[in-house]
Amino acid sequence: MLFKGLIDLLFPQVCMSCESALHTGEELLCTHCRFDIPACDWKDSKDNLITDKLKGRVRLTNADALLYFEKGNKTQKLIHQLKYKQQEQISRYLGLWHGENLKQKSWSQSFDVIIPVPIHARRRRQRGYNQVEGYAKALSQVLDCEYNDNILYRHHYSRTQVFKNRLARTDVIEHNFKLKTKKTFEGKHLVLVDDLITTGATAEACFIQLSKLKNVKLSLLTMAVAA
Ligand SMILES: [Zn+2]
């Protein structure tokens, strides 16, 4: 396409991880980064780094992450572009990628509802979008299940970093989430989705709310997990 060629010439697209120029047919990540970025590719959805991190805190039915996150690695650069550089399209890109992987696993067939971790309204206004939304919607599309961003609500803005120890931080974050709906979701398999799991405190706070619903199964999917 002549027009697209011209646009590329005027505004060259660069790889969201290494910033080298993208070739025709490459989208967001160059071919090298797409294969070189550290993918988790776990065999077990019940015993892995995420279930370990949340052990004794949340009873997870399944958990999976697409990428390993480490300071300075390709995943960190990609997530940084998504969260701080207005590159919202990375969210959907990762959702389609992760969704296609998960579709191959039999356990993903039991998912009922995909729930993005809510973002506070003020943060959403600053950023202009919830960085998890595109990912969550793409997952619901590929895995053919409901997307619902109306079950959990985040109600106050916190500067959680000031709390040094995990207990204090978890305590603060926990009070930031509320459950909006009740009956309709009882008995369902609910899948919380997030961008990055580090300590798991935010996910835990969301699960504390979701587990108030009767007979639900709880699972967690994330773009990345801190290695
Ligand atoms: Zn690259």
Side-chain angles (χ1 to χ4, degrees), residues 15-20 22 29-34 74:
C15 172
M16 290 293 150
S17 185
C18 73
E19 296 181 44
S20 66
L22 291 181
L29 284 180
C30 71
T31 306
H32 177 73
C33 285
R34 173 86 188 205
K74 288 184 186 295

Side-chain angles (χ1 to χ4, degrees), residues 96-153:
L96 293 174
W97 182 358
H98 202 181
E100 289 301 330
N101 289 356
L102 294 169
K103 218 161 70 166
Q104 318 299 320
K105 323 265 188 187
S106 57
W107 47 263
S108 73
Q109 306 299 309
S110 71
F111 293 168
D112 291 312
V113 190
I114 301 278
I115 304 166
V117 167
I119 185 172
H120 188 272
R122 192 190 306 180
R123 180 66 57 77
R124 193 189 175 109
R125 274 197 302 277
Q126 286 167 351
R127 185 175 288 144
Y129 54 93
N130 177 347
Q131 74 277 7
V132 177
E133 192 177 313
Y135 172 72
K137 284 182 174 168
L139 284 170
S140 80
Q141 184 190 325
V142 177
L143 299 173
D144 195 24
C145 49
E146 181 186 343
Y147 166 86
N148 196 308
D149 58 7
N150 214 27
I151 301 176
L152 282 176
Y153 171 70

Side-chain angles (χ1 to χ4, degrees), residues 163-181:
F163 294 89
K164 289 282 192 288
N165 79 61
R166 200 180 73 191
L167 277 180
R169 190 171 59 216
T170 306
D171 205 41
V172 167
I173 296 172
E174 181 184 335
H175 290 95
N176 281 359
F177 295 98
K178 284 272 177 292
L179 200 59
K180 278 169 90 175
T181 19

Side-chain angles (χ1 to χ4, degrees), residues 80-92:
H80 183 83
Q81 292 287 328
L82 167 64
K83 290 176 81 166
Y84 306 108
K85 300 288 177 183
Q86 296 295 308
Q87 300 297 333
E88 187 185 2
Q89 71 275 26
I90 292 169
S91 189
R92 178 172 166 79

